Amino acid sequence: MARAFLVVIDSVGIGGAPDADTFFNGDVPDTGANTLGHIIDACAAGQAEEGRSGPLRIPHMMALGLGAAVTLASGQKVDAPKPLGTWGAATEVSRGKDTPSGHWELAGLPVPWDWHYFPDQKPAFPDDVVAAVCKAAGTDGILGNCHASGTTVIADLGADHLRTGWPICYTSADSVFQIAAHEEHFGLDRLLQLCADVAPLLHQMKVGRVIARPFVGDVGNFQRTGNRKDFAILPPAPVLTNRVQDAGRAVYAVGKIGDIFSMQGIDEVRKGDDRALMGHLGDLMRDAQDGSLTFANFVEFDSLYGHRRDVSGYARHLEWFDAELGKLLPQLRAGDMLVVTADHGNDPTWTGTDHTRERVPVIVAGIGTGALGQIAFTDVAALVLRHLGIHA
């Protein structure tokens, strides 16, 4: 029985979103943002890394049709071979350029409301939210209460956190409420329980995610850990994972997929950093049940390189992923399908530090050669269901 592997390379957009002019990084519209296209240009110009020259080396994805997808999405010409896979470019309709919007729509459900965003001011949060956090945490106050970079905010406020015991609360241009706390001094279980306790209030406000951001270390050397957990708002209708599970098939979540969908339609979760996730994906190619769906997210493109505007790191991570993908492709069984796509953009050459509104690639191995054309995000879910033989 056919199996499907749906892999999201988080934030690897390919430009060309028709409504990019209505989305902003600060005061600058996202018009012209092109995550992959601009990384390709930077590498070709020798600007991606000091001492480096030559093109971005991602031959396996290019062979599947990634270069053709970039050209289709944005018009940028890319030097790439004739595609050997099935390829296209997907356009989002949900009014967000974030993780829940992108993933829900890829899973067949456009977001039916506008997300709530906190203003870029200090304080950023209303009094009732602050009071709820203090009550749940058992503290007299919170730290932060602003828009901030996750790594910067713990460097700036970590010492105060250790001294007061108050949680560090911050947000971004996304619809998120993030709580950072020291795993040992505050307690990891306490942090996770705090996030779980305040999540219903934030979700009622249509804030997409409450995110636990644990860290360790001492003053001057704080580091975030891999124990992040997203408490996401529950999808209001069935999504791809529900449809597959309801058909009696197994659904495996790799990375933060289980968190994004609030465990809806998920049988098994495997987590870790991107390198560990690649190992999990390889194991599932070997062991996943017939007829199953494996849904994976590789977040470090976004979290480590996109938001930090690190062109060099993003390029290296693309090359690492492509090399690993090349090892996985021969492991696909007859009848298997592998889809590689993205949920939004995060152009590391762009102004600001926020996501960018872009089309995303859809490249497919295992179903022959052909052009999907310009499709909708929801068509990705339809493609997977059709391959698995699951009908409405």
Side-chain angles (χ1 to χ4, degrees):
M1 188 181 294
R3 302 183 303 172
F5 299 87
L6 176 55
V7 178
V8 177
I9 45 179
D10 202 302
S11 85
V12 185
I14 53 175
D19 56 359
D21 61 331
T22 66
F23 291 80
F24 292 81
N25 267 262
D27 296 329
V28 179
D30 287 342
T31 308
N34 187 337
T35 299
L36 184 58
H38 288 159
I39 294 171
I40 290 171
D41 286 346
C43 290
Q47 299 170 347
E49 185 173 0
E50 185 177 353
R52 170 181 173 153
S53 62
L56 180 68
R57 294 176 284 272
I58 49 173
H60 301 99
M61 287 190 286
M62 286 296 184
L64 289 175
L66 184 57
V70 172
T71 302
L72 176 65
S74 64
Q76 178 175 335
K77 301 299 183 183
V78 176
D79 184 15
K82 182 178 179 180
L84 299 177
T86 299
W87 56 274
T91 303
E92 185 175 12
V93 299
S94 299
R95 291 298 301 168
K97 51 175 181 175
D98 51 63
T99 292
S101 297
H103 282 77
W104 286 14
E105 195 165 327
L106 288 169
L109 179 66
V111 177
W113 53 64
D114 289 333
W115 296 111
H116 178 79
Y117 301 93
F118 294 108
D120 191 1
Q121 63 187 39
K122 190 168 183 178
F125 308 127
D127 291 343
D128 62 334
V129 170
V130 174
V133 174
C134 292
K135 180 180 179 180
T139 60
D140 295 327
I142 65 171
L143 300 171
N145 202 344
C146 60
H147 281 233
S149 157
T151 52
T152 300
V153 78
I154 62 172
D156 292 345
L157 299 177
D160 290 340
H161 168 70
L162 297 186
R163 177 177 56 83
T164 64
W166 293 3
I168 303 170
C169 301
Y170 62 102
T171 187
S172 70
D174 291 341
S175 181
V176 294
F177 186 86
Q178 306 194 69
I179 307 179
H182 198 283
E183 283 196 359
E184 298 163 2
H185 292 269
F186 190 89
L188 177 59
D189 290 342
R190 183 183 173 199
L191 171 61
L192 297 177
Q193 187 60 54
L194 169 59
C195 291
D197 288 343
V198 300
L201 171 63
L202 276 300
H203 292 165
Q204 187 177 14
M205 297 169 60
K206 294 298 185 285
V207 175
R209 289 175 291 164
V210 175
I211 306 178
R213 289 289 198 174
F215 63 95
V216 295
D218 301 312
V219 176
N221 188 34
F222 292 124
Q223 296 181 347
R224 295 198 294 193
T225 75
N227 291 320
R228 161 186 172 159
K229 182 172 176 60
D230 293 37
F231 295 80
I233 194 169
L234 192 71
V239 293
L240 172 64
T241 52
N242 300 113
R243 298 281 302 281
V244 175
Q245 190 182 66
D246 290 348
R249 315 289 185 81
V251 179
Y252 306 94
V254 177
K256 62 180 184 177
I257 296 297
D259 292 341
I260 294 168
F261 292 102
S262 300
M263 291 303 296
Q264 296 299 294
I266 307 294
D267 293 300
E268 182 180 327
V269 175
R270 303 190 184 191
K271 289 191 171 184
D273 62 18
D274 276 8
R275 281 159 177 76
L277 298 182
M278 188 62 74
H280 294 322
L281 183 57
D283 291 342
L284 286 165
M285 282 193 171
R286 182 188 65 238
D287 300 330
Q289 295 180 22
D290 285 351
S292 63
L293 167 66
T294 296
F295 198 167
N297 172 283
F298 287 81
V299 72
E300 290 176 5
F301 296 98
D302 186 56
S303 62
L304 297 186
Y305 309 115
H307 285 299
R308 300 181 188 182
R309 296 301 187 248
D310 182 353
V311 180
S312 174
Y314 210 127
R316 288 195 303 270
H317 207 58
L318 281 164
E319 292 181 340
W320 165 80
F321 178 86
D322 189 81
E324 295 299 315
L325 181 67
K327 299 173 187 175
L328 293 180
L329 290 172
Q331 299 180 36
L332 292 172
R333 301 176 188 168
D336 284 350
M337 177 179 72
L338 170 68
V339 182
V340 178
T341 186
D343 52 343
H344 51 73
N346 200 346
D347 189 338
T349 73
W350 210 243
T351 185
T353 60
D354 302 330
H355 296 153
T356 44
R357 180 73 163 187
E358 302 178 38
R359 288 185 168 118
V360 301
V362 181
I363 54 174
V364 190
I367 61 170
T369 302
L372 296 168
Q374 291 191 3
I375 62 175
F377 272 40
T378 54
D379 289 329
V380 175
L383 180 69
V384 171
L385 291 170
R386 186 164 56 250
H387 180 76
L388 294 177
I390 298 171
H391 307 287

